Amino acid sequence: EGVSLKLGIEADYFVGQEQELESLLEGKPWDYVIGSVHFVDGWGFDNPQTVSHFERQDLTELYTRFYETVEKMIRSKMFDFVAHLDNLKVFNFKVNSESFNQEWYERIATALLETNKATEVNAGLYYRYPVKEMCPSVDFLKTIIKKGVPITLSSDSHFPDDLGKYVAENKSLLQQLGAQNVATFEQRERIMVQIQ
């Protein structure tokens, strides 16, 4: 039977640049287009060379701006699924307020539900970055699953040997948290597959 290869692209989302991005993406034979946020106010926050920037930030304000951008990305409806919803935690700088975090988890999950968009469980931060945590966090994931948002699995491989890393573990995690299906994509159509 072999392996079925899909053609996908990850596109960084910038508020106000939707039309430019749309024109770059249209007319191509993608199976899926992934939306992601890696910049806040022009700062590439997952760059190890700029990690000191976190220390000069009010983390609550920073996370608010980040999550507002993520929500706009979801509501733009440009993407088949949106990636690593809380990757701002990459270097372990987090807001230690359960109510703040939960409020945003609910808000993002609601935006996904209302726009009928999928998200992912991504292993990249777990095996490549100091935070050593799946993306999104388990609490965030619980909120997403409770809302019935479709989820796919990503190993976030930047090298061939990383293909499929932690996909089995994350599939088990989804099952433990009550998810029964995972999303896959073909020619920009979402297909739900039962977790085996």
Side-chain angles (χ1 to χ4, degrees):
E1 167 157 322
V3 174
S4 164
L5 286 178
K6 304 286 176 86
L7 182 64
I9 189 168
E10 181 176 354
D12 261 314
Y13 175 79
F14 294 90
V15 177
Q17 300 295 311
E18 292 86 352
Q19 277 185 310
E20 288 87 337
L21 183 55
E22 212 150 24
S23 66
L24 286 169
L25 295 172
E26 69 185 358
K28 310 286 192 306
W30 310 119
D31 284 304
Y32 53 87
V33 175
I34 310 167
S36 58
V37 174
H38 292 97
F39 293 85
V40 175
D41 302 332
W43 162 48
F45 57 78
D46 59 354
N47 181 349
Q49 294 176 317
T50 63
V51 72
S52 63
H53 201 63
F54 277 101
E55 289 154 17
R56 299 192 295 273
Q57 298 282 329
D58 175 312
L59 289 181
T60 304
E61 281 178 20
L62 179 64
Y63 269 85
T64 299
R65 290 200 307 280
F66 170 75
Y67 281 134
E68 282 172 350
T69 306
V70 169
E71 186 177 20
K72 282 180 180 147
M73 169 179 65
I74 294 163
R75 294 197 181 278
S76 77
K77 300 183 183 177
M78 293 173 62
F79 308 102
D80 301 307
F81 72 91
V82 291
H84 34 63
L85 295 172
D86 60 354
N87 60 330
L88 189 59
K89 68 187 179 184
V90 58
F91 295 112
N92 245 330
F93 290 87
K94 299 177 183 177
V95 175
N96 292 319
S97 162
E98 204 175 307
S99 61
F100 173 86
N101 291 325
Q102 194 56 45
E103 193 178 317
W104 273 109
Y105 299 166
E106 291 283 344
R107 196 163 147 178
I108 297 295
T110 298
L112 287 163
L113 192 66
E114 288 176 356
T115 56
N116 189 27
K117 291 297 161 194
T119 190
E120 59 164 13
V121 182
N122 186 304
L125 295 193
Y126 179 70
Y127 70 87
R128 279 211 319 272
Y129 282 97
V131 72
K132 299 267 179 283
E133 192 176 284
M134 296 300 173
C135 213
S137 67
V138 171
D139 285 341
F140 202 161
L141 197 53
K142 282 178 183 169
T143 306
I144 289 162
I145 289 170
K146 206 158 85 179
K147 293 255 191 223
V149 171
I151 302 169
T152 192
L153 296 162
S154 301
S155 52
D156 204 53
S157 52
H158 287 208
F159 300 97
D161 287 353
D162 295 335
L163 274 171
K165 255 189 184 168
Y166 298 101
V167 163
E169 289 86 342
N170 282 329
K171 194 162 72 165
S172 295
L173 174 63
L174 285 179
Q175 273 184 305
Q176 285 165 31
L177 297 178
Q180 293 171 357
N181 304 292
V182 289
T184 184
F185 299 86
E186 196 162 322
Q187 296 180 336
R188 313 260 346 234
E189 293 292 324
R190 185 170 70 224
I191 301 153
M192 297 305 290
V193 179
Q194 192 167 4
I195 297 174
Q196 303 277 326

